[in-house]
Amino acid sequence: QVQLVESGGGLVQPGGSLRLSCAASGFTFSRYWMYWVRQAPGKGLEWVSSVDRDGGNTYYVTSAKGRFTISRDNAQNTLYLQMNSLKPEDTALYYCARDSSGVIKGQGTLVTVSS
């Protein structure tokens, strides 16, 4: 069955960086666009970023442009999200997802941006 396992979250000060990883299994990773979505405390699920099948095209929510970088390693079935210049409003549970609505997603990794 599809498994998506996120890691790399944690507590970071404003302006800091984190790199999230997502290990995928149970499906042919290279055949799917992949996504990061997030859920901030008390809010709904928000799409953050997408990457196409070979990593050649990437897309970001406006608030993440210039700060976040999505990438993938199809040989390792792994998705990444490099997050720089983090802000308190980036605090959320971050999920790796196989669809942009987050229907098929992992258990999430918590990112807390606070001083």
Side-chain angles (χ1 to χ4, degrees):
Q1 71 278 20
V2 174
Q3 278 201 314
L4 299 166
V5 180
E6 302 92 339
S7 61
L11 173 63
V12 63
Q13 292 187 342
S17 298
L18 284 174
R19 189 193 197 202
L20 307 184
S21 299
C22 170
S25 61
F27 64 104
T28 305
F29 182 72
S30 60
R31 292 184 180 175
Y32 289 83
W33 283 56
M34 292 297 297
Y35 307 84
W36 286 99
V37 297
R38 67 186 178 186
Q39 187 165 24
K43 296 190 177 181
L45 211 56
E46 176 188 36
W47 167 79
V48 175
S49 184
S50 308
V51 60
D52 67 1
R53 295 177 188 86
D54 64 4
N57 292 287
T58 58
Y59 305 89
Y60 302 92
V61 67
T62 299
S63 61
K65 286 180 183 176
R67 300 188 300 124
F68 293 6
T69 303
I70 190 172
S71 61
R72 65 191 297 163
D73 183 339
N74 286 342
Q76 298 294 325
N77 291 344
T78 304
L79 180 71
Y80 301 100
L81 185 68
Q82 177 67 44
M83 304 188 297
N84 299 328
S85 303
L86 282 161
K87 304 176 181 181
E89 51 264 43
D90 294 317
T91 295
L93 193 56
Y94 283 73
Y95 298 94
C96 163
R98 208 179 73 171
D99 61 282
S100 61
S101 298
V103 173
I104 301 174
K105 63 183 181 292
Q107 84 290 345
T109 186
L110 182 62
V111 172
T112 303
V113 185
S114 175
S115 55

